[in-house]
mmCIF file of all heavy atoms in Angstrom:
data_model
loop_
_atom_site.group_PDB
_atom_site.id
_atom_site.type_symbol
_atom_site.label_atom_id
_atom_site.label_comp_id
_atom_site.label_asym_id
_atom_site.label_seq_id
_atom_site.Cartn_x
_atom_site.Cartn_y
_atom_site.Cartn_z
ATOM 1 N N THR A 76 -10.113 -15.084 6.346
ATOM 2 C CA THR A 76 -11.264 -14.378 6.838
ATOM 3 C C THR A 76 -12.286 -14.048 5.803
ATOM 4 O O THR A 76 -13.308 -13.807 6.128
ATOM 5 C CB THR A 76 -10.840 -13.015 7.439
ATOM 6 O OG1 THR A 76 -10.244 -12.205 6.506
ATOM 7 C CG2 THR A 76 -9.913 -13.251 8.657
ATOM 8 N N GLY A 77 -11.912 -13.982 4.552
ATOM 9 C CA GLY A 77 -12.817 -13.619 3.466
ATOM 10 C C GLY A 77 -12.745 -12.053 3.259
ATOM 11 O O GLY A 77 -13.350 -11.604 2.309
ATOM 12 N N ASN A 78 -12.077 -11.415 4.118
ATOM 13 C CA ASN A 78 -11.991 -9.941 3.937
ATOM 14 C C ASN A 78 -10.541 -9.492 3.980
ATOM 15 O O ASN A 78 -9.780 -10.098 4.744
ATOM 16 C CB ASN A 78 -12.744 -9.200 5.074
ATOM 17 C CG ASN A 78 -14.292 -9.256 4.753
ATOM 18 O OD1 ASN A 78 -14.676 -9.057 3.718
ATOM 19 N ND2 ASN A 78 -14.974 -9.226 5.899
ATOM 20 N N LYS A 79 -10.193 -8.435 3.251
ATOM 21 C CA LYS A 79 -8.836 -7.846 3.358
ATOM 22 C C LYS A 79 -8.691 -7.090 4.728
ATOM 23 O O LYS A 79 -9.772 -6.851 5.362
ATOM 24 C CB LYS A 79 -8.620 -6.882 2.209
ATOM 25 C CG LYS A 79 -8.696 -7.629 0.762
ATOM 26 C CD LYS A 79 -8.441 -6.644 -0.346
ATOM 27 C CE LYS A 79 -8.430 -7.335 -1.577
ATOM 28 N NZ LYS A 79 -8.147 -6.419 -2.708
ATOM 29 N N ILE A 80 -7.493 -6.836 4.971
ATOM 30 C CA ILE A 80 -7.186 -6.065 6.315
ATOM 31 C C ILE A 80 -7.831 -4.702 6.321
ATOM 32 O O ILE A 80 -8.496 -4.462 7.389
ATOM 33 C CB ILE A 80 -5.751 -5.950 6.462
ATOM 34 C CG1 ILE A 80 -5.043 -7.335 6.621
ATOM 35 C CG2 ILE A 80 -5.332 -5.107 7.688
ATOM 36 C CD1 ILE A 80 -3.459 -7.289 6.626
ATOM 37 N N LEU A 81 -7.786 -3.923 5.294
ATOM 38 C CA LEU A 81 -8.436 -2.619 5.194
ATOM 39 C C LEU A 81 -10.019 -2.764 5.506
ATOM 40 O O LEU A 81 -10.535 -1.956 6.088
ATOM 41 C CB LEU A 81 -8.082 -1.959 4.020
ATOM 42 C CG LEU A 81 -8.451 -0.442 3.882
ATOM 43 C CD1 LEU A 81 -7.771 0.367 5.046
ATOM 44 C CD2 LEU A 81 -8.148 0.093 2.554
ATOM 45 N N ARG A 82 -10.539 -3.725 4.794
ATOM 46 C CA ARG A 82 -12.082 -3.842 4.981
ATOM 47 C C ARG A 82 -12.372 -4.287 6.430
ATOM 48 O O ARG A 82 -13.438 -3.843 6.962
ATOM 49 C CB ARG A 82 -12.532 -5.013 4.045
ATOM 50 C CG ARG A 82 -12.595 -4.500 2.623
ATOM 51 C CD ARG A 82 -13.443 -5.439 1.786
ATOM 52 N NE ARG A 82 -13.334 -4.900 0.415
ATOM 53 C CZ ARG A 82 -13.396 -5.771 -0.630
ATOM 54 N NH1 ARG A 82 -13.460 -7.046 -0.529
ATOM 55 N NH2 ARG A 82 -13.176 -5.200 -1.940
ATOM 56 N N ILE A 83 -11.586 -5.051 7.047
ATOM 57 C CA ILE A 83 -11.732 -5.401 8.530
ATOM 58 C C ILE A 83 -11.607 -4.188 9.365
ATOM 59 O O ILE A 83 -12.475 -3.913 10.201
ATOM 60 C CB ILE A 83 -10.785 -6.452 8.969
ATOM 61 C CG1 ILE A 83 -11.077 -7.803 8.227
ATOM 62 C CG2 ILE A 83 -10.802 -6.659 10.469
ATOM 63 C CD1 ILE A 83 -10.115 -8.842 8.371
ATOM 64 N N LEU A 84 -10.608 -3.311 9.034
ATOM 65 C CA LEU A 84 -10.541 -2.087 9.789
ATOM 66 C C LEU A 84 -11.691 -1.098 9.585
ATOM 67 O O LEU A 84 -12.178 -0.398 10.442
ATOM 68 C CB LEU A 84 -9.089 -1.446 9.434
ATOM 69 C CG LEU A 84 -7.903 -2.154 9.793
ATOM 70 C CD1 LEU A 84 -6.670 -1.439 9.177
ATOM 71 C CD2 LEU A 84 -7.854 -2.345 11.273
ATOM 72 N N LYS A 85 -12.150 -1.064 8.264
ATOM 73 C CA LYS A 85 -13.300 -0.173 8.044
ATOM 74 C C LYS A 85 -14.515 -0.616 8.737
ATOM 75 O O LYS A 85 -15.316 0.226 9.250
ATOM 76 C CB LYS A 85 -13.540 -0.178 6.504
ATOM 77 C CG LYS A 85 -12.680 0.773 5.705
ATOM 78 C CD LYS A 85 -13.079 0.766 4.342
ATOM 79 C CE LYS A 85 -12.163 1.549 3.420
ATOM 80 N NZ LYS A 85 -12.362 1.447 2.012
ATOM 81 N N LYS A 86 -14.669 -1.954 8.859
ATOM 82 C CA LYS A 86 -15.870 -2.475 9.569
ATOM 83 C C LYS A 86 -15.849 -2.120 11.001
ATOM 84 O O LYS A 86 -16.926 -1.886 11.581
ATOM 85 C CB LYS A 86 -15.835 -3.940 9.372
ATOM 86 C CG LYS A 86 -17.177 -4.674 9.854
ATOM 87 C CD LYS A 86 -17.255 -6.103 9.396
ATOM 88 C CE LYS A 86 -16.406 -6.946 10.302
ATOM 89 N NZ LYS A 86 -16.368 -8.292 10.044
ATOM 90 N N ASN A 87 -14.608 -2.019 11.659
ATOM 91 C CA ASN A 87 -14.448 -1.795 13.066
ATOM 92 C C ASN A 87 -14.229 -0.179 13.203
ATOM 93 O O ASN A 87 -13.977 0.160 14.395
ATOM 94 C CB ASN A 87 -13.279 -2.504 13.566
ATOM 95 C CG ASN A 87 -13.685 -3.918 13.642
ATOM 96 O OD1 ASN A 87 -14.672 -4.443 14.010
ATOM 97 N ND2 ASN A 87 -12.655 -4.813 13.306
ATOM 98 N N GLY A 88 -14.212 0.608 12.142
ATOM 99 C CA GLY A 88 -14.196 2.068 12.288
ATOM 100 C C GLY A 88 -12.662 2.528 12.587
ATOM 101 O O GLY A 88 -12.323 3.521 13.349
ATOM 102 N N LEU A 89 -11.713 1.651 12.250
ATOM 103 C CA LEU A 89 -10.289 1.819 12.407
ATOM 104 C C LEU A 89 -9.496 2.289 11.241
ATOM 105 O O LEU A 89 -8.196 2.296 11.267
ATOM 106 C CB LEU A 89 -9.705 0.699 13.288
ATOM 107 C CG LEU A 89 -10.210 0.482 14.643
ATOM 108 C CD1 LEU A 89 -9.782 -0.862 15.141
ATOM 109 C CD2 LEU A 89 -9.798 1.631 15.513
ATOM 110 N N ALA A 90 -10.167 2.354 10.072
ATOM 111 C CA ALA A 90 -9.481 2.669 8.805
ATOM 112 C C ALA A 90 -8.781 4.015 8.870
ATOM 113 O O ALA A 90 -9.218 4.932 9.464
ATOM 114 C CB ALA A 90 -10.362 2.561 7.668
ATOM 115 N N PRO A 91 -7.535 4.167 8.224
ATOM 116 C CA PRO A 91 -6.882 5.462 8.321
ATOM 117 C C PRO A 91 -7.766 6.472 7.527
ATOM 118 O O PRO A 91 -8.474 6.083 6.542
ATOM 119 C CB PRO A 91 -5.463 5.117 7.498
ATOM 120 C CG PRO A 91 -5.694 3.820 6.937
ATOM 121 C CD PRO A 91 -6.698 3.104 7.529
ATOM 122 N N GLU A 92 -7.533 7.717 7.815
ATOM 123 C CA GLU A 92 -8.399 8.767 7.229
ATOM 124 C C GLU A 92 -8.044 8.996 5.707
ATOM 125 O O GLU A 92 -8.866 9.139 4.878
ATOM 126 C CB GLU A 92 -8.215 10.140 7.919
ATOM 127 C CG GLU A 92 -8.916 10.133 9.265
ATOM 128 C CD GLU A 92 -8.780 11.446 9.944
ATOM 129 O OE1 GLU A 92 -8.433 12.491 9.318
ATOM 130 O OE2 GLU A 92 -8.842 11.475 11.163
ATOM 131 N N ILE A 93 -6.734 8.957 5.482
ATOM 132 C CA ILE A 93 -6.275 8.993 4.024
ATOM 133 C C ILE A 93 -5.605 7.769 3.763
ATOM 134 O O ILE A 93 -4.954 7.096 4.471
ATOM 135 C CB ILE A 93 -5.328 10.162 3.851
ATOM 136 C CG1 ILE A 93 -3.976 10.076 4.597
ATOM 137 C CG2 ILE A 93 -5.944 11.621 4.085
ATOM 138 C CD1 ILE A 93 -2.961 11.123 4.265
ATOM 139 N N PRO A 94 -5.666 7.366 2.461
ATOM 140 C CA PRO A 94 -5.219 6.013 2.055
ATOM 141 C C PRO A 94 -3.686 5.889 2.231
ATOM 142 O O PRO A 94 -2.931 6.912 2.232
ATOM 143 C CB PRO A 94 -5.481 5.921 0.551
ATOM 144 C CG PRO A 94 -6.694 6.857 0.403
ATOM 145 C CD PRO A 94 -6.515 7.957 1.473
ATOM 146 N N GLU A 95 -3.250 4.754 2.469
ATOM 147 C CA GLU A 95 -1.740 4.458 2.858
ATOM 148 C C GLU A 95 -0.870 4.989 1.810
ATOM 149 O O GLU A 95 0.214 5.637 2.167
ATOM 150 C CB GLU A 95 -1.631 2.993 3.193
ATOM 151 C CG GLU A 95 -0.324 2.684 3.875
ATOM 152 C CD GLU A 95 -0.222 1.268 4.232
ATOM 153 O OE1 GLU A 95 -1.200 0.500 4.013
ATOM 154 O OE2 GLU A 95 0.785 0.853 4.764
ATOM 155 N N ASP A 96 -1.063 4.811 0.558
ATOM 156 C CA ASP A 96 -0.186 5.109 -0.530
ATOM 157 C C ASP A 96 -0.033 6.693 -0.559
ATOM 158 O O ASP A 96 1.018 7.218 -0.751
ATOM 159 C CB ASP A 96 -0.469 4.541 -1.828
ATOM 160 C CG ASP A 96 -1.903 4.713 -2.199
ATOM 161 O OD1 ASP A 96 -2.729 5.235 -1.429
ATOM 162 O OD2 ASP A 96 -2.341 4.356 -3.350
ATOM 163 N N LEU A 97 -1.117 7.351 -0.497
ATOM 164 C CA LEU A 97 -1.178 8.671 -0.488
ATOM 165 C C LEU A 97 -0.375 9.342 0.657
ATOM 166 O O LEU A 97 0.417 10.311 0.642
ATOM 167 C CB LEU A 97 -2.612 9.310 -0.505
ATOM 168 C CG LEU A 97 -2.789 10.801 -0.738
ATOM 169 C CD1 LEU A 97 -2.166 11.304 -2.065
ATOM 170 C CD2 LEU A 97 -4.233 11.161 -0.710
ATOM 171 N N TYR A 98 -0.599 8.794 1.859
ATOM 172 C CA TYR A 98 0.012 9.232 3.084
ATOM 173 C C TYR A 98 1.516 9.100 3.000
ATOM 174 O O TYR A 98 2.264 10.015 3.273
ATOM 175 C CB TYR A 98 -0.425 8.294 4.349
ATOM 176 C CG TYR A 98 0.415 8.557 5.516
ATOM 177 C CD1 TYR A 98 0.100 9.591 6.342
ATOM 178 C CD2 TYR A 98 1.395 7.504 5.905
ATOM 179 C CE1 TYR A 98 0.765 9.779 7.591
ATOM 180 C CE2 TYR A 98 2.116 7.803 7.123
ATOM 181 C CZ TYR A 98 1.856 8.832 7.836
ATOM 182 O OH TYR A 98 2.585 9.047 8.919
ATOM 183 N N HIS A 99 1.960 7.948 2.407
ATOM 184 C CA HIS A 99 3.507 7.826 2.295
ATOM 185 C C HIS A 99 4.060 8.798 1.301
ATOM 186 O O HIS A 99 5.284 9.252 1.479
ATOM 187 C CB HIS A 99 3.923 6.394 1.931
ATOM 188 C CG HIS A 99 3.700 5.518 3.180
ATOM 189 N ND1 HIS A 99 4.401 5.577 4.211
ATOM 190 C CD2 HIS A 99 2.816 4.423 3.412
ATOM 191 C CE1 HIS A 99 4.118 4.699 5.195
ATOM 192 N NE2 HIS A 99 3.097 3.992 4.681
ATOM 193 N N LEU A 100 3.316 9.042 0.190
ATOM 194 C CA LEU A 100 3.798 10.136 -0.790
ATOM 195 C C LEU A 100 3.866 11.422 -0.150
ATOM 196 O O LEU A 100 4.843 12.205 -0.342
ATOM 197 C CB LEU A 100 2.939 10.138 -2.013
ATOM 198 C CG LEU A 100 3.153 9.051 -2.980
ATOM 199 C CD1 LEU A 100 2.105 9.175 -4.151
ATOM 200 C CD2 LEU A 100 4.566 9.173 -3.667
ATOM 201 N N ILE A 101 2.931 11.827 0.546
ATOM 202 C CA ILE A 101 2.828 13.148 1.406
ATOM 203 C C ILE A 101 4.034 13.237 2.375
ATOM 204 O O ILE A 101 4.818 14.267 2.464
ATOM 205 C CB ILE A 101 1.530 13.302 2.045
ATOM 206 C CG1 ILE A 101 0.399 13.548 1.029
ATOM 207 C CG2 ILE A 101 1.608 14.564 2.955
ATOM 208 C CD1 ILE A 101 -0.959 13.582 1.517
ATOM 209 N N LYS A 102 4.326 12.113 2.998
ATOM 210 C CA LYS A 102 5.421 12.081 4.102
ATOM 211 C C LYS A 102 6.680 12.271 3.198
ATOM 212 O O LYS A 102 7.576 13.075 3.722
ATOM 213 C CB LYS A 102 5.219 10.726 4.739
ATOM 214 C CG LYS A 102 6.241 10.603 5.893
ATOM 215 C CD LYS A 102 5.888 9.260 6.573
ATOM 216 C CE LYS A 102 6.959 8.814 7.452
ATOM 217 N NZ LYS A 102 6.786 7.476 7.963
ATOM 218 N N LYS A 103 6.855 11.672 2.173
ATOM 219 C CA LYS A 103 8.147 11.844 1.406
ATOM 220 C C LYS A 103 8.280 13.187 0.866
ATOM 221 O O LYS A 103 9.401 13.763 0.941
ATOM 222 C CB LYS A 103 8.038 10.803 0.174
ATOM 223 C CG LYS A 103 9.414 10.713 -0.638
ATOM 224 C CD LYS A 103 9.249 9.868 -1.756
ATOM 225 C CE LYS A 103 9.099 8.405 -1.481
ATOM 226 N NZ LYS A 103 9.204 7.574 -2.679
ATOM 227 N N ALA A 104 7.235 13.850 0.375
ATOM 228 C CA ALA A 104 7.242 15.205 -0.009
ATOM 229 C C ALA A 104 7.671 16.295 1.145
ATOM 230 O O ALA A 104 8.429 17.110 0.875
ATOM 231 C CB ALA A 104 5.943 15.722 -0.675
#
Side-chain angles (χ1 to χ4, degrees):
T76 62
N78 282 323
K79 296 179 180 180
I80 294 173
L81 189 61
R82 286 194 184 146
I83 293 169
L84 293 178
K85 279 182 184 173
K86 191 171 74 175
N87 293 318
L89 294 168
E92 289 181 20
I93 62 171
E95 194 176 355
D96 50 355
L97 186 60
Y98 170 78
H99 286 295
L100 279 175
I101 292 170
K102 192 173 160 187
K103 190 184 287 191

